[in-house]
Amino acid sequence: MNHCALLTVALMGHQVNNVLREGTGHLSHTFAPVTGVSPPRPLVAPLRTALLPVCAALFLLGGRTAGLTAVPLLVIWVAIQNWRLSNHVWLALLAVALFQTVPAAHIGEVARFLLGGVYLTSGLFKVNRQFLATAQSCGRLIPRLYSKRLGLPLGDGVLFGAPLLVVTVELYLGSALLLNAPLYPLFTVAAGMHFIFGMTGNFPFSLVALCLWAASAEPATGFGWPPVARLALVSAILFGVGSRFGTAWIYRHVEAGTVLCGVLAVLFGSSVYTMAASGPFADSFISPRSWWTALGVLLLAGNLLSVVMGLRTEWAFTMFSNVRPHGRVRVLGRVPRWRAAYFELSLPRSFPEGLLSEIPPAILYQATSGVNVVYGPVAFRLERLARRFGVSLRPVPVTYSPSSNTFQRGTARQIGPRPGPLLFPPLLPRDCSMPVLR
């Protein structure tokens, strides 16, 4: 099985998902490039559209040389993303780069380590009071919003226990994978968890994770196909479940979102069924003596330390953990010394309509409504775009006040926003007691 090609196809699903959620502007907008730089805007949409199919074709049709050629192309695609670098995009890029570097016989070992590291990291970041024991826990808010939208009653006991259940499962999976426990029972637990994650709005991450499970568990003869009639029946059921209970309301067009939720449920669920029905898994084991294991330990430790030291939270697998720059969340028992500068923006009195061709109205409203504060590099880009149209968004630095748990206008020397990569969330509520679902 060509795992690099599968991961690239999963990223194509991620892009389709974003286009249906945000419109075709997702392909061309450059108002907040995640690396702080972007190619000329006329090139952005063609590159975002073409690079993933080209990479998939190179992985499928070429040998090692073609695969090594595809990796920098995939790096370019990731580098020109806008607004947010999703955790699963970073995970897929990391996996592809490692798969093209290590010997083919050790791909399963690398995939297992990546999965274990992601689950363990994500679980550890959720071990904080705000996630486990407050009404603003993302672990309670997501199922509450989901059930309310679908009219599915969830009792207080379920909502109260959901955060603890998520942490327990993630820590169990991460520890068991890194300690070389048998894969098949772990896969059944992970598949159920990822299906729930997918149904509540994050199938792109679930598909990337599933590709890594396939890489870590594929038998030497490959996964066998179940009978066509059974696979068709399972797919039909999955499409019905996905289209009925998926988060279709998050898309611009509910009808298209309904179909996409059904299709993503089929892709994920039928793949899980195929893997589970194909026979024994190949239990790849992590060798403590290999250089790629040492590299993996360094990557895992560096990821944890970067958050603990307050250097970043984006693409660090702090997914829905209530960990955020500033605020009262302790990360691994420590209050980080955050290095994230945020700004207050406001609309000018005379507003040039042409600016809306560069910045989506919803983003501009959220950034200037006074409810949110804007991360420094994003504020820099928005202000630079505004000045092209002869106006200013008047960025004012804000500082976090521990006593009030809010962002307030700074009293120190006024320093304007500076360019740079997006290491922290683009927007945060001014009131730090408010949740950030990310």
Side-chain angles (χ1 to χ4, degrees):
M1 186 180 294
N2 194 316
H3 303 292
C4 290
L6 286 177
L7 284 164
T8 309
V9 172
L11 291 181
M12 293 168 65
H14 159 86
Q15 184 155 282
V16 170
N17 183 72
N18 283 352
V19 169
L20 287 182
R21 287 185 65 171
E22 303 171 22
T24 54
H26 170 79
L27 296 173
S28 59
H29 281 138
T30 59
F31 59 88
V34 296
T35 55
V37 296
S38 63
R41 189 173 179 186
L43 296 178
V44 172
L47 287 174
R48 286 187 185 149
T49 304
L51 282 176
L52 288 180
V54 169
C55 289
L58 288 170
F59 287 133
L60 282 172
L61 303 178
R64 189 168 184 82
T65 301
L68 292 174
T69 302
V71 171
L73 296 180
L74 188 59
V75 170
I76 293 173
W77 181 83
V78 171
I80 63 174
Q81 296 304 296
N82 191 65
W83 192 243
R84 171 158 286 155
L85 180 58
S86 299
N87 289 292
H88 54 270
V89 172
W90 171 242
L91 176 62
L93 174 63
L94 192 61
V96 167
L98 289 173
F99 289 172
Q100 291 296 316
T101 304
V102 303
H106 296 280
I107 285 179
E109 179 182 350
V110 172
R112 179 180 186 131
F113 190 96
L114 286 174
L115 283 170
V118 169
Y119 293 139
L120 184 64
T121 298
S122 184
L124 287 174
F125 285 145
K126 292 185 177 74
V127 181
N128 63 72
R129 179 181 177 277
Q130 281 73 11
F131 183 84
L132 291 173
T134 69
Q136 301 302 323
S137 166
C138 294
R140 296 184 190 180
L141 288 172
I142 292 174
R144 181 185 296 128
L145 292 172
Y146 175 79
S147 62
K148 182 179 180 180
R149 187 75 190 204
L150 288 174
L152 300 174
L154 287 181
D156 292 339
V158 173
L159 294 174
F160 181 82
L164 181 60
L165 177 62
V166 171
V167 169
T168 301
V169 171
E170 289 184 335
L171 292 179
Y172 162 68
L173 288 173
S175 301
L177 283 166
L178 295 177
L179 293 174
N180 288 328
L183 282 177
Y184 192 87
L186 301 181
F187 173 71
T188 59
V189 174
M193 179 182 72
H194 280 294
F195 189 75
I196 294 173
F197 286 172
M199 293 299 292
T200 53
N202 206 2
F203 264 126
F205 171 71
S206 297
L207 289 172
V208 168
L210 185 61
C211 291
L212 294 181
W213 275 103
S216 62
E218 184 182 15
T221 56
F223 291 108
W225 286 96
V228 175
R230 291 184 185 177
L231 185 60
L233 177 61
V234 168
S235 298
I237 294 172
L238 288 167
F239 184 83
V241 171
S243 58
R244 171 62 182 86
F245 297 104
T247 52
W249 60 86
I250 67 177
Y251 298 93
R252 284 198 168 193
H253 301 286
V254 175
E255 295 80 4
T258 299
V259 173
L260 181 64
C261 289
V263 170
L264 292 176
V266 169
L267 289 175
F268 179 84
S270 61
S271 299
V272 168
Y273 174 66
T274 298
M275 291 171 62
S278 66
F281 279 10
D283 272 323
S284 54
F285 295 105
I286 299 171
S287 171
R289 298 181 179 180
S290 61
W291 68 265
W292 43 89
T293 299
L295 176 62
V297 171
L298 288 175
L299 290 172
L300 178 58
N303 182 69
L304 289 169
L305 285 174
S306 67
V307 179
V308 172
M309 295 172 64
L311 298 174
R312 69 181 175 122
T313 58
E314 294 291 85
W315 45 280
F317 307 108
T318 61
M319 298 167 289
F320 306 111
S321 64
N322 282 72
V323 172
R324 52 184 289 171
H326 313 292
R328 294 173 177 168
V329 175
R330 291 178 176 266
V331 183
L332 302 185
R334 180 181 181 275
V335 178
R337 183 173 174 268
W338 297 112
R339 294 163 173 83
Y342 279 83
F343 291 79
E344 172 187 295
L345 302 182
S346 55
L347 280 179
R349 290 184 179 179
S350 59
F351 181 75
E353 292 187 8
L355 187 58
L356 296 180
S357 65
E358 300 281 347
I359 308 171
I363 295 294
L364 195 59
Y365 171 76
Q366 292 176 54
T368 60
S369 65
V371 175
N372 300 308
V373 293
V374 184
Y375 181 41
V378 178
F380 174 86
R381 289 282 301 189
L382 296 182
E383 173 66 2
R384 190 167 76 169
L385 288 170
R387 290 189 177 184
R388 288 182 187 175
F389 290 86
V391 297
S392 174
L393 300 179
R394 300 189 295 278
V396 176
V398 293
T399 55
Y400 172 69
S401 170
S403 59
S404 63
N405 199 28
T406 61
F407 286 102
Q408 298 180 353
R409 288 198 173 200
T411 57
R413 183 167 60 93
Q414 301 289 297
I415 301 176
R418 298 176 180 177
L422 304 194
L423 303 177
F424 296 93
L427 298 177
L428 285 177
R430 181 183 292 273
D431 180 355
C432 293
S433 66
M434 299 296 291
V436 180
L437 295 179
R438 49 176 295 277

